[in-house]
DNA sequence: CTGATTTCTTGAACTAGTTCAAGATTTTGA
DNA sequence: TCAAAATCTTGAACTAGTTCAAGAAATCAG
């Protein structure tokens, strides 16, 4: 069940079979159905979620324009609300399954114990976080230097899987514009 | 000279005096004058910069709208181009001093050696990166849920130091709009 | 298989923020 | 101390993307 996670970790740091065993004791595996929530606004986020099978989105409800999606995750991606996780404050965002999903949870309150037992996991997360930060900076770059149309084509080119699996109006939300606008872009392309 | 850095590290992990000595051997201290570059587009970014005294910006040249600033740093902030640093590819961005600046460099190629010598620094960077990622997610949130006007007031409220130290047109760039627009916002407030 | 729900499309009126251009003010370096 | 450079302001014309409204198409649960 945790094979995905073990392999993902091995891309960055060594991990023996004994260490796999230890890790497994610190991790909880869960299932959610499509549309169920891994985290709801108001709850304090308790951990980091690794998607084993399925697809999720993280979003907040903004009074102005309904839901604003800020992150997607599919197989082998981590997803969480760092704001809530770090500050121990109630989350302002929701994490929801877009398909029936199996995921692993690493709870915040056991994380340091795990790092003490398997020190190179501290390194693994350092590397993962650095990659996530790189991606976040790149995202800001694209938001500011590309038009909506360019951003849509760029995203569709970079993540064709998402365009398949996720409704277009959610991609519109993630990219920061309206579903109507995405429709108009596509209409243009056919012509 | 490295007192700032040592204290910053101690906010997150313990650090003995012997470890300070070791760390100091891995770090290089540099000075740049206002307007000089810590990193220029085209160079491969070689390390992570910690601002001891001064103020810098990171930006790329976009053909569409001139310079796009994606990060500022003042005393006790780290700044680098993770995209270039991580992929070992020529940077598309520039890091420039906005004041005469003293900074510490941790070079990529000695970083692992340092972590081996002082393991809790791996943890320090994990924590720092998590905070940076949180900030980056928050930034995307604000970009998408607030109007330009709200974003300006929010930024000015959260980072009054920057509004003092950095020209307004650079803040406009960082927030993703034009200097003219920021002028109009301020004109409105006075009225 | 079928009605209900979810997702996608289209068009017309609209607005937040841009662009261009020019002048005013502030800061800087020699 | 003063000219040059950098920064900030203002107004008028403009545009990328929104909003609203309504219908069409696709998907889903029972």
């Amino acid at each position: 069940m945790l094979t995905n996670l073990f392999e993902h970790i091995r891309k960055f740091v060594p991990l023996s079979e004994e260490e796999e065993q230890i890790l497994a004791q610190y991790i909880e595996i869960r299932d959610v159905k499509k549309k169920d929530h891994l985290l709801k606004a108001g709850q304090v986020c308790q951990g980091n979620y690794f998607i084993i099978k399925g697809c999720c989105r993280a979003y907040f409800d903004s009074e102005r324009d309904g839901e604003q999606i800020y992150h997607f995750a599919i197989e082998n991606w981590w997803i969480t609300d760092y704001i809530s996780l770090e500050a121990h404050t109630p989350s302002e965002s929701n994490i929801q399954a877009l398909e029936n999903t199996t995921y692993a949870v690493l709870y915040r309150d056991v994380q340091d114990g795990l790092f003490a037992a398997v020190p190179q996991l501290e390194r693994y997360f350092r590397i993962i976080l650095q990659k996530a930060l790189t991606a976040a900076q790149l995202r800001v770059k694209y938001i500011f230097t590309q038009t909506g149309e360019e951003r849509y084509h760029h995203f569709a080119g970079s993540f064709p899987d998402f365009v398949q699996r996720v409704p277009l109006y959610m991609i519109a939300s993630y990219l920061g514009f309206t579903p109507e606008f995405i429709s108009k872009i596509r209409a243009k392309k056919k012509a």
Side-chain angles (χ1 to χ4, degrees), chain A:
Chain A
M1 205 53 172
L2 285 172
T3 325
N4 275 9
L5 177 56
F6 296 152
E7 285 183 10
H8 192 255
I9 291 171
R10 285 215 183 82
K11 282 187 192 166
F12 304 102
V13 297
L15 188 74
S16 70
E17 288 191 17
E18 302 90 76
E19 287 167 336
E20 281 187 1
Q21 301 301 318
I22 298 171
L23 173 57
Q25 289 165 22
Y26 280 87
I27 293 272
E28 192 174 309
I29 294 181
R30 291 206 195 159
D31 282 295
V32 274
K33 293 218 163 151
K34 182 170 177 173
K35 290 191 193 172
D36 278 355
H37 283 82
L38 290 72
L39 174 74
K40 279 185 188 168
Q43 301 174 333
V44 175
C45 183
Q46 299 296 347
N48 224 313
Y49 310 115
F50 179 85
I51 309 301
I52 294 170
K53 176 83 194 124
C55 180
C56 297
R57 63 168 179 154
Y59 65 97
F60 13 68
D61 295 302
S62 111
E63 62 265 29
R64 207 190 314 277
D65 357 70
E67 297 173 345
Q68 175 59 52
I69 297 176
Y70 66 90
H71 196 56
F72 287 116
I74 53 175
E75 287 80 14
N76 297 329
W77 290 42
W78 289 91
I79 188 170
T80 190
D81 175 352
Y82 283 109
I83 301 169
S84 168
L85 184 66
E86 206 170 283
H88 305 219
T89 51
S91 173
E92 290 177 30
S93 70
N94 307 273
I95 302 181
Q96 184 193 37
L98 301 177
E99 305 171 358
N100 294 340
T101 294
T102 305
Y103 65 102
V105 192
L106 173 59
Y107 287 102
R108 191 197 53 223
D109 58 348
V110 301
Q111 185 173 289
D112 285 348
L114 173 61
F115 290 165
V118 188
Q120 68 272 34
L121 290 180
E122 182 101 52
R123 181 177 176 81
Y124 166 71
F125 278 101
R126 203 255 309 151
I127 294 169
I128 291 296
L129 283 165
Q130 187 165 321
K131 288 189 180 297
L133 181 60
T134 305
Q137 288 194 346
L138 219 36
R139 185 166 173 215
V140 172
K141 170 174 174 170
Y142 292 137
I143 290 170
F144 285 146
T145 60
Q146 301 186 325
T147 63
E149 185 163 355
E150 288 168 333
R151 242 180 302 144
Y152 170 70
H153 291 313
H154 185 267
F155 180 88
S158 307
F159 303 99
D161 333 11
F162 281 101
V163 183
Q164 293 306 314
R165 287 170 82 167
V166 172
L168 274 185
Y169 73 89
M170 291 193 185
I171 290 173
S173 169
Y174 178 79
L175 293 174
F177 42 70
T178 58
E180 290 91 339
F181 183 60
I182 230 174
S183 259
K184 281 159 196 175
I185 292 171
R186 301 170 97 213
K188 217 187 271 183
K189 216 178 185 181
K190 276 181 214 142

